[in-house]
Amino acid sequence: MTVIEEERTLIPDEAVLAAAVPQPTGPPSTAERVAELAALREQVLRGPSAKATDAQHAKGKLTARERLELLFDEGTFTEIEGLRRHRATGFGLEDRRPHTDGVITGWGLVDGRRVFAYAHDFRVFGGALGEAHAQKIHKVMDLAESTGAPIVGLCDGAGARIQEGVTALAGYGGIFQRNVRSSGVIPQISVMLGPCAGGAAYSPALTDFVFMVRDTSQMFITGPDVVKAVTGEEITQNGLGGADVHAAVTGVAAFAHQDEAECFEDVRHLLSLLPSNNREVPPAEPTGDPVDRRAEELYDLVPADPGRAYDMRAVLTAIADDGDWFEVHERWAPNVLCALTRLGGQVVGVVANQPASLAGVLDIQASEKAARFVQMCDAFNIPLVTLVDVPGFLPGVDQEHGGVIRHGAKLLYAYCNATVPRVQVILRKAYGGAYIVMDSRSIGADVSLAWPTNEIAVMGAEGAANVVFRRQIAASPDPERTRAELIESYRDELMHPYYAAERGLVDDVIDPADTRARLIGALEMLRAKHAPLPSRKHGNQPQ
């Protein structure tokens, strides 16, 4: 071997040199980035940890994503801002920046119609609201309003994120402002699936409907510990603000359910009865129930004796399409019944006195319940049917001192302000101011019908006779006989079934069996009703 050949063997090959020296690799390829994205999305979908998921299930609660699967048609949910993370610092937050920031937002389809939603994820910061969390909710609320679609809030959070201070509180302010701006524009539904304390409780209170689940959801401004410290009263979370309390006592919750699956089934059903926004009418649904079906069972369901009780639900079952209806606030103020149903395939709202509870009188709570329902129906173009069997307003010191005048005026205001088609049916008694308030012709009912058992008067014949004829009764040698004769005379002269019809205050006296057909006919005639309101910013309704 020559010297030159020996030297060449000592010079490394270029390929070997290139392998030995690190070379620039360049940016990741698109395929690598896509794989990275897929891995990140998978991590986001799994949530913080299996342990956190198990803890949620151990409480008898579903995760946020499992709830969204129950709400939406399968495979239709589209998430937005799923990769959002907070930017707060201090108190260790800079080291804890999970994706979603504790709330999942987006849209999907419910029975083929678009609905927006946000769902608190209790596994992340206990669902507490911070700046980024709030901005995600603001975004989805703005989208719902601008596109004219309902929004559903799945609430399971611990309130404002304490570590973010006033920024978190400002986030709630933005939610409240949007709740009010969207009120009467798009349906807003709150589904309470966990704790909701302090100022956070005001957002559900501003929405149209509140659903709660027994044992797992609670709402209160101050919790049991604060109540005990301030007042000395000891009470559990459920006793203070559980589902049954808000469904039967406070009226905050329109619906209370045993479990989440049952709850979401009713949320979906309610959405099927509501329009997407205030510019649309509720979706019609074909029915095989004949429009002209006679309901002769009403002859026996409703006693002719005005003093005998019966269940108004049976009347509604007899006239509704296929006997199906959806009651709102079933357990609160049960002396008035409010329900959504269909007549001839078209959605209507029904307000009815309930003789099976307090004889169907109107009181403070019944007035508030019915007023709220009437306003909701009017806002979303749902015609109103009012079934009347009312002995008057409930007398008593508690009612007067509680402001029955002010609260009763809410119902009067709601009816007078409503521009949707309005049909009244008087089944039996309709006395005093309660007759006027229950959508009488004098306050704007478009059509008023009455059964031949109707009694419309200032008060019942017995009370009227005792006032009008008290001197004659007192001077009679047989007061009881005289009273009975005068009562009958008063009833025959001023309370016979055709008295109001003769004076144009009732459009027709009808066969009860024809109630369904007559209601459908009247509502069909009124479908194109247009009733413009005077130019004003807004009215000043009673509070």
Side-chain angles (χ1 to χ4, degrees), residues 10 28 38 42 95 99 110 280 293 319 334 338 352 363 375 457 461 471 473 500 508 532 536-537 543:
L10 298 176
E42 178 62 27
D95 300 322
H99 293 98
V110 176
E280 298 180 5
R293 170 175 59 80
I319 63 177
C338 298
D363 60 5
Q375 287 176 173
R471 293 183 179 177
I473 294 171
D508 198 6
R536 61 182 176 184
K537 187 175 181 180
Q543 298 295 326

Side-chain angles (χ1 to χ4, degrees), residues 55-117:
Q56 182 81 346
H57 288 162
K59 297 173 185 176
K61 302 196 296 183
L62 300 176
T63 66
R65 295 190 185 278
E66 290 169 339
R67 289 163 174 166
L68 290 168
E69 288 175 2
L70 287 177
L71 174 63
F72 290 112
D73 298 347
E74 185 176 356
T76 65
F77 179 66
T78 299
E79 185 174 358
I80 55 174
E81 297 198 19
L83 302 180
R84 187 75 180 264
R85 303 166 79 184
H86 73 74
R87 56 187 179 181
T89 59
F91 306 102
L93 284 179
E94 62 273 15
D95 300 322
R96 299 177 60 202
R97 301 180 63 233
H99 293 98
T100 74
D101 201 47
V103 64
I104 300 168
T105 58
W107 70 86
L109 302 180
V110 176
D111 293 329
R113 300 164 64 216
R114 182 171 291 106
V115 174
F116 288 80

Side-chain angles (χ1 to χ4, degrees), residues 282-287 289 291 321 341-347 516 520:
E285 187 174 281
T287 177
D289 196 346
V291 170
D321 286 359
T341 188
R342 281 188 169 89
L343 288 171
Q346 303 294 329
V347 176
R516 170 179 164 82
I520 293 173

Side-chain angles (χ1 to χ4, degrees), residues 301-314:
L301 287 174
V302 181
D305 180 356
R308 288 181 58 194
Y310 63 94
D311 191 344
M312 185 63 81
R313 294 183 179 91

Side-chain angles (χ1 to χ4, degrees), residues 38-66:
L40 181 58
R41 288 198 186 282
E42 178 62 27
Q43 176 188 338
V44 172
L45 289 174
R46 283 198 308 268
S49 68
K51 182 179 178 181
T53 300
D54 291 341
Q56 182 81 346
H57 288 162
K59 297 173 185 176
K61 302 196 296 183
L62 300 176
T63 66
R65 295 190 185 278
E66 290 169 339

Side-chain angles (χ1 to χ4, degrees), residues 216-232:
T216 59
S217 61
Q218 302 88 28
M219 297 173 66
F220 36 69
I221 299 300
T222 54
D225 292 342
V226 176
V227 170
K228 182 179 179 181
V230 174
T231 70

